[in-house]
């Protein structure tokens, strides 16, 4: 099995349950792992894998199209859409973190992780 990795994609969005998150927005960090069938790479052709540029475009579209209260809902929607991009994909892991959450604590981030498989 091969893994396609998208690491630390930083996007601005308006997700969260607090009013200030919906109005002011914040940065989100996306980490995505896509597991593809090992026998898919018959030759050195992009048709035999999943184009990570297409995945990034999809993530950006979902992130900007709708405002989600819960990162759980956002991560599940993204994972499902990515999983359905290609028959080559067996499993997807989507991790989303708020890097500056509106929490009065000394922490690096908070977030969720969703894994879906066929």
């Amino acid at each position: 099995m091969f893994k396609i990795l998208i690491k630390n994609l930083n996007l601005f969005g308006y997700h969260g349950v607090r009013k200030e998150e919906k109005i002011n927005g914040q940065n989100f960090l996306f980490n995505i792992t896509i597991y593809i069938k090992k026998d898919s790479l018959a030759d050195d052709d992009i048709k035999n894998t999943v184009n990570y540029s297409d995945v990034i475009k999809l993530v950006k579209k979902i992130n900007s199209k709708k405002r989600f209260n819960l990162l759980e809902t956002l991560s599940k929607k993204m994972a499902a859409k990515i999983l359905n991009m290609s028959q080559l994909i067996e499993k997807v892991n989507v991790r989303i973190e708020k890097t500056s959450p509106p929490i009065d604590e000394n922490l690096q981030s908070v977030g969720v992780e969703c894994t879906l498989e066929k």
Side-chain angles (χ1 to χ4, degrees):
M1 185 177 303
F2 288 93
K3 286 195 255 183
I4 295 173
L5 306 171
I6 298 171
K7 290 182 68 176
N8 298 330
L9 175 62
N10 192 347
L11 299 175
F12 194 83
Y14 296 90
H15 315 298
V17 294
R18 294 186 178 184
K19 184 178 180 180
E20 64 266 21
E21 293 177 296
K22 295 178 187 307
I23 295 171
N24 301 327
Q26 62 190 301
N27 288 315
F28 294 87
L29 201 58
F30 295 85
N31 283 280
I32 299 163
T33 305
I34 301 166
Y35 299 82
I36 60 172
K37 297 176 183 176
K38 65 179 177 183
D39 59 345
S40 66
L41 292 172
D43 57 31
D44 191 29
D45 192 324
I46 191 72
K47 295 181 299 188
N48 297 318
T49 189
V50 176
N51 188 330
Y52 48 78
S53 294
D54 292 340
V55 176
I56 291 169
K57 287 177 192 173
L58 176 65
V59 169
K60 289 173 73 173
K61 181 180 176 183
I62 294 169
N63 179 65
S64 64
K65 189 174 181 180
K66 181 179 176 185
R67 298 177 184 200
F68 292 86
N69 290 324
L70 302 176
L71 292 183
E72 290 86 346
T73 309
L74 174 58
S75 65
K76 185 177 179 184
K77 180 169 183 90
M78 283 186 177
K81 292 283 191 182
I82 294 167
L83 194 63
N84 289 320
M85 285 181 75
S86 170
Q87 292 295 326
L88 300 174
I89 300 173
E90 293 184 337
K91 181 169 131 180
V92 176
N93 179 273
V94 175
R95 181 177 178 168
I96 306 172
E97 296 175 72
K98 294 180 181 183
T99 57
S100 298
I103 300 171
D104 192 22
E105 295 294 337
N106 184 12
L107 53 83
Q108 184 175 350
S109 68
V110 296
V112 301
E113 196 166 354
C114 176
T115 302
L116 296 179
E117 53 188 297
K118 291 182 182 171

